[in-house]
Amino acid sequence: MIVDGQDQRNINKASELLKAGELVIFPTETVYGLGADALNIESLEKVFALKARPKWDPLIVHLSDISKLEQFVEAVPDKALKLAEKFWPGPLTLVLRKKKIVPDLVTGGRETVAIRVPRNPVAQSLLRQFGGAIAAPSANRFQQLSPTTALSAFEALGKPNVMVLDGGPCEVGLESTVVMIEEKATKILRPGGISREDIEQITGQSELNLGVAAEAPESSESPGQSSFHYAPRTPLKLVDLTDIKELILRKGNKRLALVAIGPNEHVERLRDRVEIHYLSKGEHDLVTAAANLYETLRIIDTKGFDFIICLRAPESGLGLAINDRMKKAQHGYF
Ligand code: AMP
Ligand code: MG
């Protein structure tokens, strides 16, 4: 059932449920998460089962604050610490060498664990009340769209018998940026709510490590980055403006939805052939566009279109993460 996440009585109840080994769905500033006690194997098993998530895809562990970090990880590289100090609480996940206490089920058997301190007030209240670490992947079935409202989380998991803390729509709306600091390199394993430019302000140059063969995601550096993910049911393609006209022509009389960042004269000219869905009111407002991306795709998915065409965003700021998600949402025959 969905309950008010701002009511402390519900936070207390949710915390009790987590301690008793149950799951709780809660908001973070990125997307809604399906939370479990990160040290309780039986609870973790329930997460994988409800999400139909393969065990090789590791979970992100959420902490209330940076002081809890040392309980779960070995020495933190200097640059990682600087990133944590700058961007926590917030949509940054750090992949760090784990301590023994972290179960293999959380990390997919890796020596590293992904950790984040979220800033959403409901997530913060829950983490503080619970006191421990909450492992929480997005509250949706494997490879489907991540939910950014309480209702879409509840529905995405098939209306499970799990408490859903409602904290309103997610502020960022895209998953966290996953970063791993190595001796010689800063690797961005997943672009997300903190831009590459912001990361590089702290670390200097970074590498984008996104390329993963779809056939073997389990052996990749960041398994969740497999090339199909975050997808609506309707066939979807990411295109550049220059390719749209040809694609529309080729689709003859099919029902097409077009997703674009914001109003633009080139897109407006296509209005008689496609239903346009702008993610923001401004052509360059990537922050609002990111916040609306998943919910827009989810709504389009219920409207019976034959195809969704997504127009590529500029590759800067949150545009990198928006394009990454739209690219991974691609499927179907075009
Ligand atoms: P989410 O699906 O938002 O819960 O994010 C989990 C993703 O974080 C995984 O699919 C991986 O891509 C990444 N991740 C989690 N743990 C690790 C780890 N130990 N090493 C590398 N990437 C990780
Ligand atoms: Mg996910």
Side-chain angles (χ1 to χ4, degrees):
M1 86 261 45
I2 300 177
V3 300
D4 180 4
Q6 262 133 19
D7 186 332
Q8 185 61 38
R9 286 167 301 186
N10 292 330
I11 295 288
N12 296 347
K13 175 81 182 138
S15 167
E16 290 310 313
L17 287 167
L18 287 174
K19 284 178 186 163
E22 297 300 324
L23 307 183
V24 170
I25 294 169
F26 67 101
T28 80
E29 67 276 18
T30 60
V31 301
Y32 273 72
L34 175 64
D37 178 346
L39 303 184
N40 182 330
I41 307 288
E42 277 171 34
S43 310
L44 295 166
E45 292 278 2
K46 290 182 197 170
V47 170
F48 285 96
L50 187 54
K51 272 185 67 83
R53 180 168 172 131
K55 299 268 173 70
W56 47 255
D57 195 356
L59 308 178
I60 294 175
V61 170
H62 295 72
L63 303 177
S64 61
D65 60 274
I66 195 169
S67 72
K68 295 242 159 45
L69 197 54
E70 61 180 0
Q71 291 177 35
F72 304 96
V73 303
E74 301 291 352
V76 180
D78 209 34
K79 279 183 180 169
L81 197 59
K82 286 209 177 90
L83 285 173
E85 282 166 355
K86 173 79 180 170
F87 297 114
W88 282 355
L92 171 75
T93 295
L94 291 170
V95 174
L96 299 163
R97 190 149 285 278
K98 81 177 187 86
K99 280 193 170 157
K100 271 218 178 74
I101 186 176
V102 181
D104 281 345
L105 202 47
V106 167
T107 66
R110 284 148 200 270
E111 289 306 309
T112 53
V113 59
I115 305 235
R116 181 163 100 81
V117 174
R119 69 167 174 246
N120 175 286
V122 177
Q124 272 289 329
S125 308
L126 180 63
L127 281 161
R128 272 186 263 118
Q129 183 67 33
F130 178 63
I134 301 179
S138 51
N140 55 279
R141 297 244 157 85
F142 185 59
Q143 294 182 327
Q144 294 180 1
L145 287 171
S146 303
T148 55
T149 67
L151 183 62
S152 48
F154 187 54
E155 288 177 348
L157 287 171
K159 304 186 178 175
N161 187 17
V162 169
M163 180 187 260
V164 185
L165 292 170
D166 190 347
C170 299
E171 172 204 345
V172 177
L174 286 181
E175 291 81 357
S176 57
T177 306
V178 180
V179 177
M180 181 159 68
I181 301 289
E182 290 187 338
E183 211 171 307
K184 295 214 174 82
T186 297
K187 291 184 172 172
I188 296 185
L189 303 181
R190 174 175 77 184
I194 304 279
S195 71
R196 182 182 190 180
E197 294 88 334
D198 283 345
I199 300 285
E200 290 187 343
Q201 289 254 327
I202 307 288
T203 64
Q205 227 182 13
S206 66
E207 286 174 19
L208 266 184
N209 273 49
L210 313 181
V212 172
E215 315 79 63
E218 62 276 26
S219 54
S220 101
E221 203 152 43
S222 188
Q225 277 299 99
S226 56
S227 56
F228 176 66
H229 213 135
Y230 314 113
R233 286 181 298 267
T234 314
L236 182 150
K237 191 168 173 68
L238 174 62
V239 296
D240 292 299
L241 194 55
T242 46
D243 301 327
I244 282 189
K245 274 197 184 140
E246 192 266 334
L247 180 61
I248 289 175
L249 268 178
R250 209 154 23 93
K251 286 298 160 208
N253 56 1
K254 297 289 185 203
R255 284 196 67 213
L256 309 176
L258 177 67
V259 178
I261 299 295
N264 150 331
E265 56 177 309
H266 304 289
V267 176
E268 280 299 320
R269 279 193 214 117
L270 306 169
R271 196 171 276 288
D272 58 339
R273 266 303 287 124
V274 297
E275 186 174 298
I276 301 173
H277 293 258
Y278 289 125
L279 298 174
S280 67
K281 292 203 180 79
E283 198 185 340
H284 307 289
D285 184 357
L286 296 172
V287 173
T288 305
N292 289 326
L293 177 65
Y294 287 139
E295 196 61 13
T296 302
L297 290 177
R298 201 185 62 77
I299 290 166
I300 293 174
D301 218 12
T302 64
K303 292 174 90 176
F305 286 98
D306 296 309
F307 294 97
I308 303 172
I309 301 170
C310 290
L311 185 58
R312 195 184 305 279
E315 282 278 315
S316 58
L318 288 186
L320 191 66
I322 292 172
N323 286 340
D324 175 73
R325 303 307 189 272
M326 294 196 300
K327 193 168 159 204
K328 296 202 162 69
Q330 292 189 108
H331 68 107
Y333 180 69
F334 273 81

